[in-house]
Amino acid sequence: MASSALRAPLSLRVLTKGFIIFWLILAAFPFIWTLWGSFKVELDFFSIADWTNALTGANTERTHGSPFTGAGYEGAWVQEEFWRSVINTFIVCFFVVCTSLTIGTLGGYALSRSGYRYTFWLLITALIFRAMPPITLVSGYLLPFFEWNVWGILPTTIIVLVAINQPFTLWMLHSFFQNIPKELDESAKVDGCTQFQAFRLVIVPVMWPGVITTGLFSFLLAYNDFAVTSMLLSESNRTMVPEIAAFLGTTQTEGNVMFAVAAVVSATAPLFILVMFFQRQIVSGLTAGAVKG
């Protein structure tokens, strides 16, 4: 009886579900449209004369004998060797995430358990540093990098990305650690653990969803970065985002838009897989601070 009384009216449920479906279609449309267009030729996907060509693929069928073609993917992956940029991207992301999480977990745990007053000011300083535009920081690195002959390589870019993203991971992990009762540390020490053993064996397993969430955000910051990677990497060491921008061409060089469209789809697909794989840990990590420990 009580559940029936609290049940929402039919009109409200229909309106809510209709809005959710409409929102999902609206949110997914850009990617679906890009995915669809990646199998067309430029004259169809960017048709000015008739926008329906993007749906029917008239010029694509005239050119390739079919309304769909993989010429964009072949050109990007085989002709322009986009796979090199994919490998470079995952190398950069792997080391950025591993380094950021190692420093962030140790630093965040230490700051959350510290009783000194300077802890607050350290976090504020880190926040100010993270709020600065990355382009202003990178410009200061260029001169010494050129002098030391370390410009254009992946390790240099990894170090800079870690330096830029570290305040973010430090703040997030510090917040997660603060929600874990200090009594857990004390109980572990009573059982004979050292401070580091208590951190490794007791605290980290408890806040593992927070570590995964922070790691995912750190991965996305490195994965989607353009300003740092475009300025610090040479043409042969480009990651995906600068390489996609290069496909579009410049005022001096002619690009291929369909190569860029196919590369965008290729770069976006792994993100969907990653989020779907870690969705439970992400939700647990994002809601961890909602309940006081």
Side-chain angles (χ1 to χ4, degrees), residues 3-24:
S3 60
S4 300
L6 295 175
R7 186 178 301 170
L10 177 61
S11 58
L12 180 59
R13 282 183 287 159
V14 171
L15 182 63
T16 302
K17 291 180 179 179
F19 175 78
I20 293 174
I21 294 173
F22 172 76
W23 182 86
L24 288 174

Side-chain angles (χ1 to χ4, degrees), residues 157-173:
T157 305
I158 291 170
I159 293 172
V160 174
L161 286 175
V162 168
I164 292 175
N165 295 334
Q166 195 61 63
F168 171 79
T169 58
L170 190 65
W171 260 94
M172 282 199 69
L173 290 169

Side-chain angles (χ1 to χ4, degrees), residues 225-237:
D225 181 83
F226 176 75
V228 175
T229 52
S230 61
M231 292 187 67
L232 294 183
L233 289 174
S234 62
E235 184 177 349
S236 60
N237 289 326

Side-chain angles (χ1 to χ4, degrees), residues 234-246:
S234 62
E235 184 177 349
S236 60
N237 289 326
R238 282 176 181 159
T239 52
M240 286 192 290
V241 176
E243 187 67 17
I244 292 172

Side-chain angles (χ1 to χ4, degrees), residues 77 82 86 223-224 240-241 244 262-272:
W77 283 85
F82 185 66
V86 174
Y223 190 89
N224 296 321
M240 286 192 290
V241 176
I244 292 172
V264 166
V265 175
S266 302
T268 307
L271 299 181
F272 280 97

Side-chain angles (χ1 to χ4, degrees), residues 99-121:
T99 308
S100 297
L101 287 183
T102 301
I103 299 174
T105 51
L106 293 173
Y109 176 70
L111 292 175
S112 67
R113 297 300 187 259
S114 175
Y116 293 103
R117 294 182 179 180
Y118 63 75
T119 300
F120 171 78
W121 295 108

Side-chain angles (χ1 to χ4, degrees), residues 208 212-213 216 273-284:
W208 191 242
I212 293 178
T213 303
L216 179 62
I273 298 173
L274 188 69
V275 172
M276 292 300 295
F277 185 78
F278 289 111
Q279 59 176 326
R280 290 187 178 181
Q281 289 83 356
I282 294 171
V283 173
S284 300

